[in-house]
């Protein structure tokens, strides 16, 4: 599959990257695909996915605040959130960064709900380096 021809989701599931840094538009495309899949789900499945996002949000919040993660959140994360990450091909990601342009707040928040270690890097589109001899 060619990730540049609309098959990024297939490519991610095959590659299962550990480091993922890209421009915000790629993250928006992944988010759009996920939201589209959620819209097509049965009501009970949508409820389970909503619960998974709620669990991921709470776990991420606790990690940021350096609080311990309760056992029930760990279990729920391993059952629900990890399944969603695996479906996206993002289950092995250790570092998830965005660079090159501003990232929409809702997009960054979506990834923290999946307990992905998201870091927003350079918010500029061009970096130039000059070396003098």
């Amino acid at each position: 599959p060619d990730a540049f021809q609309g098959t990024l989701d297939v490519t991610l599931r095959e590659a299962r990257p550990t480091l993922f840094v890209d421009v915000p538009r790629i993250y928006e495309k992944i988010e759009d695909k996920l939201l589209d899949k959620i819209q097509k789900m049965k009501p009970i499945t949508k409820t389970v996915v909503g619960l998974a996002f709620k669990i991921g949000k709470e776990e991420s919040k606790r990690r940021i605040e350096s609080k311990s993660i309760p056992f029930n959140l760990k279990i729920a994360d391993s059952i629900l959130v990890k399944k969603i990450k695996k479906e996206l091909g993002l289950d092995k990601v250790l570092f998830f960064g965005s660079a090159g342009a501003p990232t929409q707040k809702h997009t960054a928040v979506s990834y923290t709900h999946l307990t992905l270690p998201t870091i927003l890097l350079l918010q500029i589109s061009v970096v130039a380096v000059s070396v003098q001899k």
Side-chain angles (χ1 to χ4, degrees), residues 14-124:
E14 286 181 6
R16 296 176 65 209
T18 53
L19 303 173
F20 195 85
V21 178
D22 218 321
V23 294
R25 183 66 188 128
I26 296 300
Y27 297 119
E28 291 166 7
K29 284 183 173 220
I30 295 169
E31 180 188 27
D32 290 344
K33 284 239 183 203
L34 177 61
L35 294 175
D36 186 48
K37 282 183 180 184
I38 291 170
Q39 288 300 317
K40 294 175 183 174
M41 292 176 178
K42 295 177 183 175
I44 188 72
T45 309
K46 282 184 188 180
T47 302
V48 170
V49 169
L51 179 61
F53 283 171
K54 186 176 178 181
I55 290 164
K57 179 181 178 181
E58 179 62 25
E59 186 175 334
S60 290
K61 181 181 170 190
R62 288 178 159 277
R63 287 182 195 279
I64 290 167
E65 295 171 352
S66 299
K67 292 182 178 177
S68 63
I69 310 298
F71 185 71
N72 63 336
L73 276 183
K74 289 180 184 179
I75 295 295
D77 177 67
S78 67
I79 294 170
L80 298 174
V81 178
K82 285 185 180 172
K83 277 188 174 186
I84 294 170
K85 288 195 285 192
K86 189 167 187 171
E87 174 65 26
L88 293 171
L90 302 174
D91 56 316
K92 300 289 183 187
V93 171
L94 302 173
F95 178 87
F96 203 72
S98 175
T103 303
Q104 298 293 322
K105 184 178 179 181
H106 68 86
T107 301
V109 168
S110 293
Y111 289 100
T112 60
H113 290 184
L114 291 172
T115 64
L116 289 166
T118 307
I119 298 175
L120 304 178
L121 300 170
L122 298 174
Q123 298 292 314
I124 55 177

